[in-house]
Amino acid sequence: MKIDPPAPSAPPLHRTPATGPAPSPAAAEAVERPKEAASASAHVHSLPTAVGRSDFDAARVAAIREDIRAGRYEIRPERIADGLLASVRDLLDPKGGA
């Protein structure tokens, strides 16, 4: 078995600070996007509590977690497939699901 000698490592990149023209409006907009995204994210996370309902059931999660630990949790692929197909049918229904 022949082993080739190691390849030489690439020289490090040296970047010089940009001294060109001012950033374009698109670049300035890109800097602002993270702030907008954070604001939108905070808004989305506040929605379930704003309407007074939450889709998260902590007791159900705890029960499932315990069933998994005890080896009692049963995965039923046909039930998962049926649910996925029903969801796709609802999305593709031209009548709007009603």
Side-chain angles (χ1 to χ4, degrees):
M1 179 171 159
K2 182 179 176 185
I3 299 176
D4 293 330
S9 61
L13 294 175
H14 296 286
R15 295 192 174 153
T16 58
T19 57
S24 69
E29 182 182 330
V31 171
E32 291 297 319
R33 282 191 197 133
K35 294 176 189 171
E36 292 173 9
S39 174
S41 177
H43 176 71
V44 168
H45 287 292
S46 70
L47 287 177
T49 56
V51 272
R53 82 177 237 282
S54 175
D55 291 334
F56 179 76
D57 184 353
R60 173 103 171 108
V61 171
I64 291 172
R65 183 175 290 144
E66 180 56 35
D67 286 347
I68 291 170
R69 277 193 198 120
R72 295 184 302 254
Y73 189 75
E74 181 181 339
I75 297 173
R76 293 176 266 170
E78 62 281 345
R79 187 172 173 197
I80 294 169
D82 289 343
L84 288 171
L85 289 172
S87 176
V88 169
R89 284 187 195 110
D90 287 346
L91 291 171
L92 296 176
D93 186 11
K95 298 174 189 167

